Amino acid sequence: MDSSVVISTFNGIAFVEEQLNSIRKQTVAPREVIIADDCSTDGTFEFIKEYIEINKLDTWNVSRNKRNIGWKKNFWQLIKKAKYEYIFLADQDDIWSLNKIEALLASAEKYPQGELFYSNFKSFENFEEINTLEKVKLKNTSQVVCDVNFTTLPAPGCTFLIKRSLYTESSKYWDSDFPHDFSLWVTAMLRETVYHNENVLHYWRMHKSSAYYTVPYKKMSNLVKFRDNANKIFIKRRNVAHMRIAFLEKWQSINDRNTKVQDSLIFEKKRILYLENKKICMYIRSIFNYREFYSSFDSMLADFYIILFSGGAQ
């Protein structure tokens, strides 16, 4: 089975070599590796170009964007450029298990109806914490059921193997404000074509310059800091809710009515109302009617925290 690997880079000189090494040493090599550098200023593009030349990687290619377009659009353009049916998504600073490509392609071969395959992952900060030099013993792959939490990703997009047909379908709904992995995940969930490989095939590096880095929780020393943190969480959650609504409304305008989509839209709109207006009674009623729409108990408590301590929509 032929596959492409696409990598979006931006100022990743500190860690990109470890990611490139883990892809180059795969037990099953991809047919192509396409890298688009988004106008790095730290020498990332030049390093990758030299890396390809030194290792004589004839099927690898790196290009530099004429202007910085952001990681969301950069990834979407990369997927479009990929030549092969199966496409692996790769960040610039993670590390792959030695047989990640082999394992996920085996899942895709076993379930040809699937369009998105993802694996388990472990987060890390230092390379010494992990060992990718051994092949992972393969475990089960199973279909993921589309439940009410279908807009919540259980793993980052860098764990994904997608089929070109999924990109084609998801392009109908994608917008440059939407993360590529969110658009692909929700589309695949609604098409019931998501499969989970239970192996840990991916090591996700956490550092402050990462697009998904979350600041570790620290005890607030005063009420001002406590409220400031609540405001930051509020803005992030409100933006995510608006993104989900925009995507689902676009999906609904093209496809037949779907109860899960309709229910999810109702929940997200109510959620924005009680978060923005700090309506504790509306929040409590929502818990009784939409408890299952929260992906976790912590997520539900976080909304309560926002209502109590954030400034709301001021």
Side-chain angles (χ1 to χ4, degrees):
M1 300 174 72
D2 295 332
S3 66
S4 302
V5 174
V6 298
I7 311 173
S8 172
T9 62
F10 176 71
N11 287 350
I13 193 66
F15 305 115
V16 71
E17 184 176 13
E18 292 174 0
Q19 170 68 296
L20 298 179
N21 285 339
S22 72
I23 295 173
R24 179 172 58 86
K25 296 176 182 179
Q26 288 290 301
T27 56
V28 172
R31 287 293 300 273
E32 66 172 358
V33 175
I34 309 173
I35 307 166
D37 183 76
D38 202 21
C39 301
S40 293
T41 58
D42 66 348
T44 298
F45 172 77
E46 293 77 11
F47 174 83
I48 296 173
K49 189 175 181 181
E50 184 178 9
Y51 182 95
I52 291 173
E53 292 173 356
I54 291 174
N55 290 284
K56 299 178 181 179
L57 301 169
D58 297 335
T59 60
W60 291 38
N61 176 266
V62 61
S63 61
R64 178 158 45 190
N65 297 335
K66 293 181 180 180
R67 60 182 180 84
N68 181 278
I69 60 176
W71 58 272
K72 297 173 185 176
K73 192 172 182 179
N74 201 29
F75 258 117
W76 208 254
Q77 291 184 355
L78 277 164
I79 298 170
K80 183 178 181 179
K81 289 179 183 177
K83 296 178 182 177
Y84 298 100
E85 182 178 14
Y86 291 98
I87 305 165
F88 287 88
L89 313 183
D91 286 350
Q92 65 183 359
D93 43 18
D94 299 334
I95 299 176
W96 290 11
S97 295
L98 190 63
N99 60 333
K100 174 176 176 174
I101 291 180
E102 178 184 356
L104 286 178
L105 285 180
S107 296
E109 186 173 22
K110 184 176 181 180
Y111 300 101
Q113 68 275 25
E115 293 182 300
L116 189 155
F117 302 85
Y118 75 99
S119 70
N120 289 342
F121 68 97
K122 287 184 178 179
S123 59
F124 75 102
E125 293 185 10
N126 301 309
F127 180 74
E128 292 75 18
E129 298 175 21
I130 63 175
N131 179 10
T132 63
L133 300 180
E134 297 180 2
K135 289 182 64 174
V136 173
K137 186 177 180 181
L138 299 185
K139 298 179 182 178
N140 294 333
T141 296
S142 57
Q143 186 175 11
V144 178
V145 176
C146 183
D147 60 15
V148 294
N149 298 125
F150 67 92
T151 60
T152 301
L153 279 67
C158 48
T159 66
F160 290 4
L161 164 64
I162 67 165
K163 215 171 183 177
R164 174 155 298 282
S165 59
L166 177 61
Y167 165 78
T168 301
E169 178 66 21
S170 189
S171 293
K172 299 176 184 177
Y173 324 112
W174 181 78
D175 182 274
S176 58
D177 291 331
F178 301 157
H180 61 289
D181 49 358
F182 167 81
S183 300
L184 293 166
W185 173 266
V186 177
T187 303
M189 285 294 283
L190 290 171
R191 287 162 67 85
E192 300 183 343
T193 56
V194 177
Y195 287 79
H196 176 212
N197 184 305
E198 296 177 7
N199 298 285
V200 175
L201 300 173
H202 191 94
Y203 295 88
W204 193 31
R205 191 188 303 268
M206 301 300 296
H207 57 92
K208 291 184 179 180
S209 58
S210 170
Y212 285 100
Y213 179 76
T214 301
V215 178
Y217 172 79
K218 293 182 180 180
K219 186 176 181 179
M220 301 295 168
S221 58
N222 57 58
L223 186 59
V224 173
K225 288 184 178 180
F226 203 70
R227 286 177 174 170
D228 183 57
N229 189 57
N231 286 331
K232 289 178 181 178
I233 297 172
F234 162 68
I235 292 170
K236 183 176 181 180
R237 287 190 162 227
R238 181 180 60 181
N239 290 344
V240 169
H242 280 299
M243 176 189 70
R244 288 171 173 171
I245 290 169
F247 183 92
L248 294 176
E249 286 184 338
K250 196 167 186 180
W251 189 93
Q252 197 173 45
S253 70
I254 297 173
N255 297 280
D256 294 334
R257 180 181 173 85
N258 181 297
T259 302
K260 287 189 176 68
V261 171
Q262 186 62 30
D263 289 345
S264 185
L265 280 169
I266 293 171
F267 168 69
E268 295 295 348
K269 289 177 181 180
K270 285 181 179 291
R271 192 164 171 238
I272 289 174
L273 281 175
Y274 59 68
L275 291 178
E276 288 186 341
N277 299 295
K278 297 171 66 67
K279 299 289 188 180
I280 190 69
C281 292
M282 186 184 294
Y283 164 76
I284 293 172
R285 286 196 300 271
S286 184
I287 290 176
F288 284 106
N289 296 323
Y290 297 96
R291 168 65 184 89
E292 69 274 18
F293 285 80
Y294 281 101
S295 58
S296 67
F297 184 71
D298 287 346
S299 179
M300 185 175 67
L301 284 182
D303 277 2
F304 182 66
Y305 167 72
I306 291 169
I307 293 170
L308 289 182
F309 298 106
S310 78
Q314 297 178 345

